[in-house]
Amino acid sequence: GIDDPGARSLGLNLVSVAVETASSALGVFSGIRERIKVQVLKLLLRVASCSTEDGPLLSRVLAIITNIFHSMKIHLRVPIELLFTQVYLKTLRDPTLPYDCKEVAMESLLDLIKTPGVLLELYVNYDAEPTVTMLFAQVFKFLCRTVFSTSGTLTSIQVLALEGIVSSLQQFGLHHSPNPAPAALEFAQEVRTKAKIKRQLQLAAEHFNRDADKGVKFLETSGLVPLPITAAAVASFLRTNPALHK
């Protein structure tokens, strides 16, 4: 079990060797992909969340998780969201945890941030998708708050956070072209449209959280639901909007 240090060490060694050996072939077979998502990553995330006071163990587990991500990132939406929110951000925000463990978490987070295309994919797959969390915004805001969190001597974590901000800006800058291809323009417009809808949905949720009647009126005027508005449309909005207080 994960509570037995010997068995845990052996298990991590075996998983690490398997991931490094398979490399990009890891996500080729659907059966293996599902087992990694449902069993392996779930267990690794559990170990990581239980190891936030053990720097070396946390570093080892996060290294395996990031290797899996590099090998099959297109298949890992939910596990990656949990990695960012329940391991990275949760560890870094906890004032009771040892500094070296937070440093390990920040280094691993920076490793993912620096991976080409990762931040753009975060934005497209989360921040521009109407019914899921604003993951890129959470991460970027956290980095900004970390850099300006204290006065006095600059800490190593603040330096790492600043590196993450710079890398983020550079990555998005690389995707700007003075003469984009038609397909790129179409994709960018699609992302902008989704992001606009998401902002409207968040605003609608804010209205609903304050006053349900005003929320319904906003839905009627925003174009988010077909008119005349129906109970089914309102129910769908209430069920799928993550910004609502439920």
Side-chain angles (χ1 to χ4, degrees), residues 166-200:
V166 172
S167 180
S168 303
L169 297 175
Q170 288 176 335
Q171 285 192 50
F172 278 90
L174 289 175
H175 289 278
H176 175 73
S177 172
N179 299 299
L185 284 173
E186 183 179 348
F187 175 73
Q189 183 57 48
E190 180 184 348
V191 171
R192 281 194 291 269
T193 300
K194 287 183 176 181
K196 181 180 179 180
I197 292 172
K198 184 158 190 169
R199 286 193 294 271
Q200 289 181 308

Side-chain angles (χ1 to χ4, degrees), residues 16-226:
S16 180
V17 170
V19 170
E20 291 176 5
T21 302
S23 187
S24 59
L26 201 61
V28 172
F29 302 101
S30 60
I32 295 176
R33 286 201 308 266
E34 290 307 307
R35 178 152 301 192
I36 289 173
K37 289 169 62 177
V38 175
Q39 296 181 353
V40 177
L41 271 174
K42 182 178 179 180
L43 184 59
L44 288 171
L45 288 169
R46 182 183 167 195
V47 174
S49 64
C50 295
S51 307
T52 51
E53 296 187 19
D54 185 338
L57 177 59
L58 181 62
S59 177
R60 190 176 178 191
V61 175
L62 289 177
I64 296 172
I65 293 174
T66 52
N67 280 340
I68 291 174
F69 175 79
H70 292 319
S71 299
M72 48 182 293
K73 59 186 176 182
I74 62 173
H75 305 286
L76 299 180
R77 171 177 287 185
V78 173
I80 288 305
E81 180 179 349
L82 293 176
L83 173 62
F84 276 95
T85 58
Q86 298 301 312
V87 179
Y88 289 140
L89 298 182
K90 187 176 181 180
T91 300
L92 290 162
R93 286 169 174 162
D94 191 336
T96 67
L97 293 180
Y99 186 85
D100 64 322
C101 292
K102 292 186 174 186
E103 194 171 35
V104 164
M106 183 62 86
E107 288 173 348
S108 180
L109 174 59
L110 183 61
D111 178 54
L112 275 187
I113 286 175
K114 287 186 172 182
T115 303
V118 164
L119 290 180
L120 181 62
E121 289 178 15
L122 281 186
Y123 182 83
V124 170
N125 293 324
Y126 289 91
D127 296 57
E129 281 294 327
T131 59
V132 295
T133 187
M134 301 276 286
L135 189 54
F136 170 79
Q138 285 187 57
V139 173
F140 194 78
K141 288 177 182 178
F142 173 78
L143 292 175
C144 293
R145 291 192 186 104
T146 299
V147 170
F148 300 104
S149 60
T150 60
S151 57
T153 305
L154 197 65
T155 67
S156 58
I157 287 180
Q158 286 177 294
V159 172
L160 291 170
L162 185 57
E163 284 186 46
I165 293 172
V166 172
S167 180
S168 303
L169 297 175
Q170 288 176 335
Q171 285 192 50
F172 278 90
L174 289 175
H175 289 278
H176 175 73
S177 172
N179 299 299
L185 284 173
E186 183 179 348
F187 175 73
Q189 183 57 48
E190 180 184 348
V191 171
R192 281 194 291 269
T193 300
K194 287 183 176 181
K196 181 180 179 180
I197 292 172
K198 184 158 190 169
R199 286 193 294 271
Q200 289 181 308
L201 286 170
Q202 288 180 314
L203 189 56
E206 291 175 8
H207 283 291
F208 261 95
N209 290 335
R210 290 193 297 267
D211 186 311
D213 290 336
K214 290 182 179 179
V216 172
K217 290 179 181 178
F218 182 84
L219 285 180
E220 290 177 324
T221 59
S222 64
L224 291 172
V225 295

